[in-house]
Amino acid sequence: MSSERLDKIISSSGKYTRSESSKMIRSGAVRVNGEEVRNPAFKADGNSDKITVNSRKFVYKKYIYIMMNKPSGVVSASDSPSDVTVVDLIEGELKRPGLFPAGRLDKDTTGFVLITDDGDFAHRILSPKRHVSKTYRVTLKEDITEDEAEMIRTGLMLNGEKLLPAKVKKLDGEHVYEVVLKEGRYHQIKRMFARFSNEVTALERTAMGNLELDSSLKCGEYREMTAEEIMKVEMKT
């Protein structure tokens, strides 16, 4: 059992502010397990108690997890004074305070961005100690040699630092490769191939951990993740 203030539970949906939630509770619009509650500080369990607001069932979710197929030109941030962010694209019932992207993609990079308001979960999947993998589809200006691929697989030296071993394999398509990283350094993939005087012309994240991006999501589209999908993100590959 995990109890929280009733006004906090109601406002967590993002439909109402904390003050609006308190006002509704005081007006008698909220019932818990069939009983009218007028005290905003009343403790309830959003997962097990039956809560109604204006006679309609209230579905409580302490945290939310969203899979987005990020389009190019959108920044991976909660807010920006000059750019459209991934959080700006979220609308409707999935829109709520505190959302942020768990990890970043460059502005011109597309693909899987995980958006949540669960800070502990984000810390776990981004922690360097956990080595949760990220998979990318990389299009290069030209093919790499097998020697260069092996340097990536064994741990490339970059600016005097040795990177963790990464997976790389050729895919169908001209100069297209799959790269799996266990770390996420600044502009890492672009800098890795620049090390060979090569250029990344297109970059898409296709998976996080053991969870692949939903192929039915078009650029800019998103959906809520299932409990099974959330667990797959943290699975070792």
Side-chain angles (χ1 to χ4, degrees), residues 30-201:
V30 178
R31 289 178 175 268
V32 179
N33 298 323
E35 298 293 327
E36 183 180 289
V37 176
R38 290 178 178 264
N39 180 7
F42 179 85
K43 294 295 184 69
D45 186 327
N47 293 309
S48 60
D49 289 328
K50 296 180 180 179
I51 302 172
T52 60
V53 178
N54 293 320
S55 300
R56 299 182 65 178
K57 182 180 178 181
F58 178 82
V59 179
Y60 172 73
K61 294 175 183 177
K62 185 173 183 179
Y63 298 116
I64 197 165
Y65 308 86
I66 300 167
M67 172 191 291
M68 174 181 286
N69 187 353
K70 175 190 168 302
S72 180
V74 175
V75 297
S76 297
S78 299
D79 56 75
S80 171
S82 56
D83 293 300
V84 175
T85 74
V86 291
V87 173
D88 290 333
L89 299 182
I90 305 296
E91 298 177 342
E93 292 187 355
L94 297 183
K95 185 78 169 181
R96 60 196 290 179
L99 289 176
F100 62 91
R104 295 178 179 270
L105 291 181
D106 294 342
K107 187 175 180 178
D108 60 349
T109 300
T110 62
F112 190 170
V113 170
L114 197 161
I115 300 169
T116 186
D117 52 358
D118 186 345
D120 289 340
F121 172 79
H123 176 74
R124 290 197 304 273
I125 66 173
L126 298 176
S127 171
K129 295 180 180 179
R130 294 294 297 273
H131 301 314
V132 172
S133 65
K134 312 294 190 302
T135 305
Y136 298 85
R137 179 182 174 90
V138 186
T139 305
L140 300 173
K141 187 174 182 180
E142 57 188 26
D143 283 334
I144 58 173
T145 67
E146 184 55 33
D147 286 344
E148 291 169 340
E150 191 59 26
M151 290 173 67
I152 293 173
R153 295 185 186 114
T154 56
L156 185 68
M157 291 297 296
L158 193 63
N159 295 336
E161 292 185 283
K162 187 176 178 66
L163 302 179
L164 291 177
K167 296 178 183 179
V168 58
K169 69 177 181 180
K170 186 76 169 65
L171 299 178
D172 292 337
E174 190 174 14
H175 316 317
V176 180
Y177 292 80
E178 179 182 88
V179 176
V180 183
L181 301 181
K182 293 286 188 178
E183 57 187 334
R185 303 197 183 205
Y186 181 71
H187 293 323
Q188 182 171 341
I189 289 182
K190 293 177 181 178
R191 292 167 61 217
M192 283 168 53
F193 289 104
R195 170 79 166 70
F196 307 130
S197 300
N198 208 333
E199 180 184 350
V200 174
T201 60

